[in-house]
Amino acid sequence: DAKTTQPNSMESNEEEPVHLPCNHSTISGTDYIHWYRQLPSQGPEYVIHGLTSNVNNRMASLAIAEDRKSSTLILHRATLRDAAVYYCTRGSNYKLTFGKGTLLTVNP
Amino acid sequence: EPEVTQTPSHQVTQMGQEVILRCVPISNHLYFYWYRQILGQKVEFLVSFYNNEISEKSEIFDDQFSVERPDGSNFTLKIRSTKLEDSAMYFCASYTGSLSGYTFGSGTRLTVV
């Protein structure tokens, strides 16, 4: 399986922007980049996904490098409720492959 | 917002027993999945199901595991003879195949004793 690589943990202050990086250097040309987050004892929650172009939705923005070997999830104003494990995944209709994710801590 | 519903939320079973984990995916979704997460570890793919057949499965999904979509609404995961190492959270997910991401359920915590 091709891997995604993320920092183990990051810290942010409330109401500040957060940039969560991910490397996926071996991603195939047809795989999408998905981001999910997970709170303790809950299932992963979809955040955003994209293929080549940058994407925005109500939760976040996704910036994808031109060579698709890396991407960055941007939370524009972190809140305490954004504290979670964030997973960058690569995938298709048939499968998403999760890595270990980044534990985001948000300080009040 | 539509949800993926999983039952039961927690199941305790004896080693060697059969268990069936149940899921109701979102009604207009076309792709269905089971994942598992052993305590403290990452989310692992088990199997995907599309057009009434398995489309992809992992090495974990051996002959002890099976999936069914018996009635067009439920999606089940059966473990024929449970082992201690099957203890984990099992997540069901579904996907439209287009604009949105996968939707995961809240999970079933399986404890094998």
Side-chain angles (χ1 to χ4, degrees), chain B:
Chain B
E1 199 163 317
E3 289 184 344
V4 173
T5 305
Q6 290 187 244
T7 55
S9 56
H10 190 186
Q11 180 150 3
V12 181
T13 189
Q14 290 204 326
M15 193 168 53
Q17 295 296 305
E18 175 183 286
V19 294
I20 297 176
L21 309 183
R22 302 180 191 279
C23 170
V24 179
I26 295 173
S27 59
N28 64 340
H29 284 193
L30 303 175
Y31 300 84
F32 312 107
Y33 315 86
W34 285 99
Y35 284 77
R36 79 172 187 190
Q37 187 174 32
I38 295 170
L39 188 63
Q41 298 187 24
K42 65 181 183 180
V43 178
E44 298 177 291
F45 170 77
L46 292 178
V47 66
S48 58
F49 193 85
Y50 171 71
N51 203 24
N52 287 319
E53 60 183 22
I54 290 174
S55 44
E56 193 160 344
K57 60 183 181 179
S58 71
E59 290 178 355
I60 303 168
F61 194 87
D62 61 20
D63 292 345
Q64 293 299 310
F65 291 86
S66 63
V67 289
E68 263 192 335
R69 189 158 158 80
D71 56 11
S73 60
N74 293 288
F75 181 50
T76 62
L77 175 70
K78 182 192 292 186
I79 309 174
R80 287 190 182 78
S81 178
T82 50
K83 305 173 211 166
L84 295 176
E85 53 264 38
D86 293 327
S87 296
M89 281 289 283
Y90 287 80
F91 295 109
C92 174
S94 67
Y95 180 49
T96 62
S98 60
L99 297 177
S100 65
Y102 291 31
T103 302
F104 285 81
S106 299
T108 293
R109 179 172 299 284
L110 177 66
T111 303
V112 182
V113 297

Side-chain angles (χ1 to χ4, degrees), chain A residues 4-21:
Chain A
T4 58
T5 307
Q6 300 177 251
N8 290 332
S9 62
M10 291 185 67
E11 204 167 317
S12 173
N13 295 319
E14 202 173 6
E15 299 197 2
E16 289 184 357
V18 182
H19 290 232
L20 297 164

